[in-house]
Amino acid sequence: MIRLTNLADYAVVLMCEIANTPERVSAQDLSASTNIPVPTVSKILNALGRGELLVSHRGLKGGFALARDVEDITVADIIEAIDGPIALTHCTEPEDSNCGYTEICFMRPKWQVINGAVRGALESVTLAALITPMSGEELAAQFEAQAAARN
């Protein structure tokens, strides 16, 4: 089974919450609205900031806000800001040296194709799509249209 880390899952939740909030939002407010502990929220917000998905504002009316429009942030962006590059296997990473079969492995190029397909699917889902109320069928149709438009 392929699973996201809890932090990546929480990051998607937090990004949706921020996208639905018209003003800047603090880590404490996000924790209260999502039931994710403040230290975890802070850690995720910092990573999303380093990933250039959020901007931080200091001061009395400070907090976090989206760095880009909701149509320009994808689920792939969020996951990669938290977990790093999307890869189903370690052997597709160029710096992987733990495998003794790298030079003779016939599956390595095939895994790169599979990883590209998974990443492409996650790139086709925007934050805008996640925060727009839709039925399951409408959401699936929108994802398919976005994927077709990117190809």
Side-chain angles (χ1 to χ4, degrees), residues 57-101:
H57 301 275
R58 296 189 179 270
L60 185 59
K61 293 188 179 193
F64 289 87
L66 297 178
R68 302 189 299 232
D69 197 56
V70 290
E71 286 88 13
D72 297 327
I73 298 173
T74 68
V75 172
D77 296 330
I78 299 168
I79 292 169
E80 287 182 332
I82 302 300
D83 289 344
I86 296 168
L88 300 179
T89 62
H90 292 287
C91 70
T92 59
E93 298 170 15
E95 66 278 348
D96 181 45
S97 60
N98 293 333
C99 179
Y101 300 104

Side-chain angles (χ1 to χ4, degrees), residues 1-4 79 84-93 110-119 122:
M1 176 180 291
I2 302 168
R3 290 187 188 208
L4 294 177
I79 292 169
I86 296 168
L88 300 179
T89 62
H90 292 287
C91 70
T92 59
E93 298 170 15
K110 294 169 178 63
W111 275 115
Q112 291 171 342
V113 170
I114 294 166
N115 284 341
V118 171
R119 188 177 197 296
L122 293 171

Side-chain angles (χ1 to χ4, degrees), residues 105 123 134:
C105 181
E123 279 182 329
M134 294 184 198

Side-chain angles (χ1 to χ4, degrees), residues 18 22-28 45-46 49 53-68:
I18 294 166
E23 64 276 342
R24 295 175 189 149
V25 62
S26 71
Q28 292 78 14
L45 294 177
N46 287 329
L53 300 178
L54 293 178
V55 290
S56 172
H57 301 275
R58 296 189 179 270
L60 185 59
K61 293 188 179 193
F64 289 87
L66 297 178
R68 302 189 299 232

